[in-house]
Amino acid sequence: MSVRLAYDSRIINQSGRALLFLGALGAHREMWTPQVDAFTALGINWIRADIRGLGDSEVVPGPYTMGGLADDVISLLDDLDIATADLVGLSLGGAVAQQLALQAPERVATLTLISTTTRFGDKAAWIERAANIRAEGTTGLGAGIAGRWFTVDYGRQNPDVLLRAQRWVTDTVPEGYASCAEALAEWDSSENIAAISAPTLVIGGASDPGIPPSTLKSLANGIGGATLVVIDPGAHLVNVEQPQTVTGLIAGHIGRLTATPNRTRICSPTQAGL
């Protein structure tokens, strides 16, 4: 049974197509503000949603599954009369986006996967983490994002952004966080991603300790025609740290009608021409 998701949207035209943004474990949908502001100015339909259990979305008892999280997103698209989406998912949101592209390919026009992978480490570690969160809450998680979600220099120069991101995590309901962690524990798309047919762009930060460039390359190589762009400097929430670069890459990707051969590049904001 699907869960109603908290979301914001700007449907400027009735094309039946919209960008849909899905974020990281512990994040709030406002993480996409730089992107949605830019796409509003460009006249492009968009939706940003909190995944089940996170942000302002409903928290139901877990564990959750990636299939269930994808079903929630499909129900949201149905409610908004959006036939096809340009999916943009970061980290956990990228896993949900992969699942949706496999589960309902007819609903996905393009796929942008940011700071994500086919498998998020050791299953037992995620199960243990979920148990700890249920026992101790999320208050202690905020300090850990410094140096992981953002590069050290960016966090030092933008303490207000770092503080806001820490609050997203500490404000997350423990059951929602733990249940999403259990979904990640079971997640492994490595045997299935070759079946993804949507034109795919993979983006990541050169200094992301959790999803390094080698992991991004494996993901991109597994999807036919995928393009990989590694942004330097950048860490896990590279869309926040390098908003113009990421927004420009997404804008270029959703305008592409057919997949292109696999290619990889590393770029700085200057090199991206943005």
Side-chain angles (χ1 to χ4, degrees):
M1 180 176 175
S2 62
V3 169
R4 293 187 67 86
L5 303 180
Y7 70 94
D8 307 313
S9 65
R10 180 71 180 269
I11 306 302
I12 300 168
N13 61 73
Q14 300 303 313
S15 64
R17 177 172 169 176
L19 272 162
L20 174 58
F21 297 93
L22 302 169
L25 176 62
H28 188 277
R29 65 188 183 278
E30 74 170 9
M31 65 173 280
W32 298 109
T33 295
Q35 282 70 50
V36 300
D37 285 351
F39 285 114
T40 296
L42 292 171
I44 295 174
N45 295 338
W46 59 262
I47 307 158
R48 58 177 175 179
D50 288 325
I51 290 169
R52 178 195 303 201
L54 304 178
D56 300 319
S57 283
E58 184 180 359
V59 179
V60 297
Y64 303 162
T65 66
M66 212 60 71
L69 299 181
D71 285 340
D72 295 341
V73 177
I74 293 170
S75 293
L76 175 61
L77 292 174
D78 290 343
D79 289 344
L80 295 175
D81 292 323
I82 300 298
T84 58
D86 294 286
L87 279 182
V88 182
L90 188 149
S91 196
L92 167 62
V96 178
Q98 289 175 62
Q99 178 65 34
L100 203 157
L102 291 165
Q103 187 171 313
E106 73 282 358
R107 307 301 297 269
V108 182
T110 65
L111 185 62
T112 301
L113 302 174
I114 307 175
S115 305
T116 195
T117 182
T118 59
R119 184 169 181 264
F120 288 83
D122 181 64
K123 175 179 177 178
W126 282 108
I127 297 299
E128 181 180 3
R129 186 174 190 178
N132 289 339
I133 293 299
R134 286 193 174 97
E136 302 171 9
T138 55
T139 303
L141 296 178
I145 70 170
R148 291 194 298 112
W149 278 16
F150 308 107
T151 61
V152 173
D153 285 346
Y154 180 85
R156 185 182 300 119
Q157 295 164 12
N158 298 272
D160 56 329
V161 177
L162 178 58
L163 179 60
R164 186 163 65 251
Q166 289 172 331
R167 286 176 177 163
W168 296 339
V169 178
T170 58
D171 287 348
T172 301
V173 177
E175 178 60 26
Y177 190 106
S179 297
C180 285
E182 289 166 335
L184 288 172
E186 300 293 338
W187 168 249
D188 186 349
S189 66
S190 56
E191 298 298 321
N192 303 317
I193 57 169
I196 290 176
S197 56
T200 301
L201 170 65
V202 178
I203 303 172
S207 300
D208 185 345
I211 310 290
S214 59
T215 298
L216 297 167
K217 185 175 181 179
S218 294
L219 172 63
N221 286 345
I223 302 172
T227 297
L228 169 62
V229 180
V230 179
I231 299 172
D232 189 13
H236 201 56
L237 294 197
V238 67
N239 73 299
V240 176
E241 186 162 347
Q242 299 289 359
Q244 289 180 304
T245 302
V246 171
T247 300
L249 290 167
I250 296 169
H253 180 58
I254 66 175
R256 191 180 73 196
L257 299 180
T258 58
T260 58
N262 290 72
R263 56 194 176 94
T264 303
R265 62 190 171 104
I266 299 177
C267 72
S268 68
T270 302
Q271 292 168 328
L274 300 166

